[in-house]
Amino acid sequence: MERIYEIQMGIEELARRALETGTVGGVAALLEVPETNKIAFTLVRAPEDVKGLAPFSPWMLENAARSISQMTREAAFTQPVAVILRPCELRALRELVKLKQVNMTNLILISFDCPGVFPIGSRLNGNGDLPAAYEKAVLEGTNCPGIRQVCSACEEFVPRGADMVISLVGRSPTDTLRAAFPTEAGQKFAEALGLLAEGREVEAGEERDRLAGIRADEHNALSARIQGSLKDLDGLVSVFDRCISCHACRYVCPVCYCKDCFFESPAFSYYPHSLHKRLEQSAAGLRLPLDRLLFHLGRLTHMGASCVACGMCEDVCVAGIPVSQIFKTVGGDIQQMFDYLPGGSPDDPLPLLTYREDELKEMED
Amino acid sequence: MKEESKEFTPNILYALCSWCGSGGSETAGAMKLHYPENVKPVRFYCTGGIDPVYIFRALLEGADGVVVSGCHPGDCHFDTGNYRARRRIAAVKTILNTLGLDGDRVWLRWVGHGEGKRFVDTASEFDEHIQEKGPSPLKGIRGV
Ligand code: SF4
Ligand code: SF4
Ligand code: SF4
């Protein structure tokens, strides 16, 4: 059973103390700069810079696993760095470890049970105030209207494998922290900061379970809705016919890590004579750019097994295609077939990089 | 039924690995066995090297079905390519089925080097299987 401690400080104070005591050399998290209405994932090194630390802010401007990858891929941190991530960012991080894009050395993983985030646009075009409805939903353990669709349907909102797990659902963002320290590294971190000695053990609230129930229902509804909208070919075509081939969805995707995406390789660049030939053969004419549906089908086969349903792709899609809902649904079926939860356990190998000799006989014809 | 469907000649791609799959087709040649002319063999280095994107590309660009053959489990020239291929084909079938398309337009069947008869039987059987299904609706949406 996890042990949850009430800690007499907020997240800023915790970060400041961690830096001041030298327990960590840096803290990486979302940071708000109210004067400029800016918010960004930031690596903070000086205790006085923790002001504005806002890891619970209900926006995700990028899946921060990408930033951690950029900061550690070629060289690990040389001193401990506490990173505060949402559960889907943490899962993406773990997928990237398996893809050799992240070095976990010296990372202290802090996460929290996640009420969900709003689409990016509402932050970039808004004033950054926390909507009152959001606060209320977090407190009650319900879905706040207007959060990302995949957030409403996210059953993996309680982090796995974090060193420190903050209980947020059922609390107010301004409350003092409640947290569990499930790993050895987490215990050490808590001890170094004196959190366990000062803290008081508390019971988990029921709000998290309430949210889990709501999310499970929403997940079923989302899958049914998406499958229904794609079910016949006309549906599939009308959904993807809107795609303008900008590939922004794969660019922001945390698990699409390839430096040179296959879909931007010469395998998909056409020479005039090949286009002319196609045009001759096609009664209906040739619609450009080519390979829009193929790109999505292909991306599903490349990383559908690793999709953590974070919602970034859908948020950046100018065409309004429910990309992340589609990837959550189709990717979810692939994951279920391989009995794999992306970013779940570090010991489970990537489904397409492993095999068992005695499996999937039903796939042979 | 049969009469009617005979009017439709499916466009079929037969993906073969360089070792057993192609070996099977060579053995068939040596034995002077015939397979339907609308089944077009394509040689890959190993079934494990077939990016599923090429299967989807074929289906979107005019193939009514794709059948893949490589070495029997345990016989892969590269030891494990065929096991990896089986996982990828499983993903392809799952994607097609979840999207309401037809995962059964893609087949995976092992064919050994000496199995010339199994090679032509697979080609014929798949040809009939696709004839019964009719033209793939996917190939009509070229350009999407
Ligand atoms: S972001 Fe949208 S429009 Fe751009 S490639 Fe992805 S699905 Fe297509
Ligand atoms: S779509 Fe495929 S090739 Fe492109 S970045 Fe993603 S995983 Fe890599
Ligand atoms: S496909 Fe979309 S939802 Fe899935 S991990 Fe990538 S960005 Fe997130």
Side-chain angles (χ1 to χ4, degrees), chain A residues 213-225:
Chain A
I214 294 172
R215 295 259 169 108
D217 293 344
E218 282 292 323
H219 184 182
N220 291 336
L222 182 146
S223 301
R225 203 166 60 233

Side-chain angles (χ1 to χ4, degrees), chain A residues 230 236-237 239-251 256 261 263 268 290-304 313-314 317 319-324 326-327 330-331 334, chain B residues 52-53 56 60 95 99 144:
Chain A
L230 299 174
L236 186 72
V237 171
V239 167
F240 285 110
D241 208 24
R242 302 165 55 91
C243 175
I244 60 166
S245 251
C246 65
H247 294 187
C249 47
R250 78 108 190 132
Y251 191 79
C256 261
C261 174
F263 295 97
F268 297 87
L290 290 178
D291 298 331
R292 288 169 302 147
L293 180 56
L294 180 59
F295 163 66
H296 293 285
L297 294 173
R299 202 167 82 88
L300 275 168
T301 65
H302 283 184
M303 49 60 65
C313 49
E314 188 165 330
C317 178
I321 296 171
V323 196
S324 62
I326 293 169
F327 274 66
V330 183
I334 298 172
Chain B
V53 171
F56 284 122
L60 285 165
I95 291 169
L99 293 178
V144 168

Side-chain angles (χ1 to χ4, degrees), chain A residues 227 230-233 236-237 240-241 262-263 267-268 270 278 281-282 285 287-294 297-302 326 329-330 333-334 337-338 350-361 363-365, chain B residues 51-58 60-61 73-74 79-81 83-84 86-101 103-104 106-110 118 122 125-126 129 136-144:
Chain A
Q227 279 206 343
L230 299 174
K231 200 69 199 174
D232 58 285
L233 193 60
L236 186 72
V237 171
F240 285 110
D241 208 24
F262 183 48
F263 295 97
F268 297 87
Y270 297 87
R278 280 157 193 265
Q281 292 167 347
S282 161
R287 208 187 136 168
L288 300 170
L290 290 178
D291 298 331
R292 288 169 302 147
L293 180 56
L294 180 59
L297 294 173
R299 202 167 82 88
L300 275 168
T301 65
H302 283 184
I326 293 169
T329 304
V330 183
D333 279 358
I334 298 172
M337 172 182 61
F338 292 133
L350 291 166
L352 293 185
L353 294 186
T354 187
Y355 63 88
R356 284 204 331 267
E357 290 182 8
D358 62 338
E359 65 173 4
L360 299 173
K361 294 272 194 275
M363 296 294 167
E364 297 173 11
D365 297 278
Chain B
D51 189 319
V53 171
Y54 290 117
I55 296 177
F56 284 122
R57 197 176 210 179
L60 285 165
E61 300 232 354
D79 289 345
T80 64
Y83 293 123
R84 293 167 194 275
R86 186 165 61 191
R87 283 210 157 203
R88 299 212 180 105
I89 300 284
V92 168
K93 286 181 179 240
T94 303
I95 291 169
L96 287 170
N97 288 333
T98 303
L99 293 178
L101 303 168
D104 215 19
V106 178
W107 268 18
L108 172 67
R109 183 178 287 176
W110 311 124
R118 187 169 161 91
T122 302
E125 205 185 309
F126 190 64
H129 170 71
S136 165
L138 261 183
K139 69 176 179 178
I141 58 163
R142 207 174 225 201
V144 168

Side-chain angles (χ1 to χ4, degrees), chain A residues 70-141:
Chain A
Q70 276 166 11
M71 288 192 280
T72 65
R73 189 174 50 216
E74 281 86 14
F77 283 124
T78 48
Q79 39 183 331
V81 171
V83 296
I84 314 182
L85 298 173
R86 294 183 179 272
C88 62
E89 295 175 313
L90 186 58
R91 290 205 291 135
L93 190 76
R94 199 155 277 130
E95 286 302 282
L96 288 173
V97 172
K98 295 179 192 180
L99 292 161
K100 302 192 169 45
Q101 302 299 309
V102 164
N103 190 325
M104 290 282 241
T105 308
N106 275 327
L107 292 186
I108 295 169
L109 306 169
I110 302 179
S111 192
F112 51 92
D113 38 43
C114 177
V117 298
F118 295 109
I120 297 171
S122 66
R123 181 63 177 77
L124 296 179
N125 306 322
N127 58 12
D129 288 348
L130 186 66
Y134 188 84
E135 234 173 309
K136 184 161 174 280
V138 177
L139 213 54
E140 290 172 352

